[in-house]
Amino acid sequence: MTGRQYRARFDAEISFANGGGLRTEGFRLDIPGTDVADDELAALLVRHLGLLMVAGVRISGKTIVAEPHQGGRGVTAAAPGRRRLVELSHLVTDGMTTLPGWPAPRITDWLTREASRANYAPGVEFHVARIDMIANTGTYLDAPAHRWADGADLAGVPLDRLADLPGMLVRVPAGTRAVDPLLLAPYEVAGRAVLLHTGWDAHFGTDRYPAPEAPYLTGAGAQWLVEAGAALVGIDSINIDDMSPAAAGERPAHSALLAAGIPIVEHLTGLDALPPTGFRFTAAPPRVAGMGTFPVRAFATVD
């Protein structure tokens, strides 16, 4: 996203009008800029924690660090009235690799401009291309039929599960492989497209991308999202499930999410450009009957 984002690290002593108090050490909080005053920071903290009857807040040891926002109730992600589109899809090109060992797309001419001239009036020409590819190419969506024989195919997934969904970004800490319920617990995901930002898209198209240490969503994490009412789940890694040899081919995240009718978008990219909330997500494939996966043009609208 445009401009740098900042967080404050500080200690705080909070006293309450009805008695008692709280103390935090090394607390980190999203802030709108580097010039935040202590009283402003105190107000952000109170709002972020949802505290009532606060009599006073004493801030100490404050430092400002340049870090992406992690989400909270204190800072809005963008100025009101401004709107931008964020590309979240990998580029599909002739011969590219999405999944190592799987066929690459082949993009050729079906009708060249030169050949088309014989069909039209002088000066009129057209080009028609042909693409031969497997459905799991680039950034793609999994419908329930991908995993379950009786699940909805691409044509059967309702548009309200694919387009203009309120989004929630979950930033996965660097070095974390398994996204489990404890990491997801702070987020309100009901009715939202939940996008897991792991940063693994930096390895797309390289030998590192399918490495055993690629991040993934655990089966318990997937079940938590089902029970919490997520509308769609996406990830910027090679697979939403663990693909390491230790997983032995089990696919608990696919199984749980798709059984619940929750579409999955894999191989996202560019999630670092999104705020924690305040965006809408779209990843709609063509309306093709009998198919369970297909590439999408995934994007976010940020207000």
Side-chain angles (χ1 to χ4, degrees), residues 217-228 256-257:
L217 176 67
T218 67
Q223 190 58 46
W224 187 93
L225 289 169
V226 169
E227 294 172 1
L257 295 172

Side-chain angles (χ1 to χ4, degrees), residues 66-226:
E67 286 183 347
H69 285 174
Q70 300 298 306
R73 289 174 286 192
V75 177
T76 55
R82 303 182 67 182
R83 178 178 179 271
R84 59 190 175 88
L85 299 177
V86 180
E87 178 69 70
L88 302 176
S89 298
H90 287 288
L91 181 67
V92 175
T93 59
D94 181 62
M96 68 175 286
T97 298
T98 301
L99 297 165
W102 292 42
R106 296 300 174 192
I107 302 173
T108 56
D109 296 324
W110 183 79
L111 180 65
T112 66
R113 295 186 182 279
E114 293 76 14
S116 76
R117 294 168 188 164
N119 302 327
Y120 304 102
V124 179
E125 62 182 37
F126 292 95
H127 174 254
V128 179
R130 172 173 177 164
I131 182 168
D132 296 285
M133 68 178 186
I134 61 171
N136 291 35
T137 295
T139 302
Y140 55 80
L141 180 132
D142 293 345
H146 177 52
R147 173 65 179 84
W148 302 105
D150 59 350
D153 60 10
L154 297 173
V157 178
L159 279 175
D160 61 8
R161 284 298 181 108
L162 305 171
D164 199 34
L165 291 164
M168 171 67 70
L169 189 72
V170 177
R171 296 198 192 277
V172 179
T176 300
R177 283 200 66 225
V179 179
D180 59 17
L182 190 59
L183 195 150
L184 298 168
Y187 298 92
E188 298 177 5
V189 304
R192 295 177 179 267
V194 181
L195 309 183
L196 307 179
H197 175 214
T198 71
W200 202 253
D201 58 317
H203 306 299
F204 185 83
T206 72
D207 293 340
R208 182 83 189 281
Y209 196 57
E213 61 267 26
Y216 66 95
L217 176 67
T218 67
Q223 190 58 46
W224 187 93
L225 289 169
V226 169

Side-chain angles (χ1 to χ4, degrees), residues 13-87:
E13 294 182 10
I14 306 168
S15 59
F16 295 94
N18 59 342
L22 292 174
R23 178 178 175 81
T24 70
E25 294 183 355
F27 198 92
R28 292 196 179 209
L29 190 65
D30 298 352
I31 56 175
T34 58
D35 57 349
V36 62
D38 285 0
D39 57 345
E40 295 174 303
L41 186 58
L44 289 172
L45 176 64
V46 169
R47 184 180 180 195
H48 176 75
L49 296 178
L51 301 176
L52 300 176
M53 301 185 71
V54 173
V57 178
R58 179 176 173 270
I59 303 292
S60 61
K62 181 179 69 177
T63 59
I64 307 300
V65 293
E67 286 183 347
H69 285 174
Q70 300 298 306
R73 289 174 286 192
V75 177
T76 55
R82 303 182 67 182
R83 178 178 179 271
R84 59 190 175 88
L85 299 177
V86 180
E87 178 69 70

Side-chain angles (χ1 to χ4, degrees), residues 1-7 31-34 65-69 77:
M1 56 192 301
T2 58
R4 302 186 72 182
Q5 293 182 336
Y6 297 91
R7 308 185 78 210
I31 56 175
T34 58
V65 293
E67 286 183 347
H69 285 174

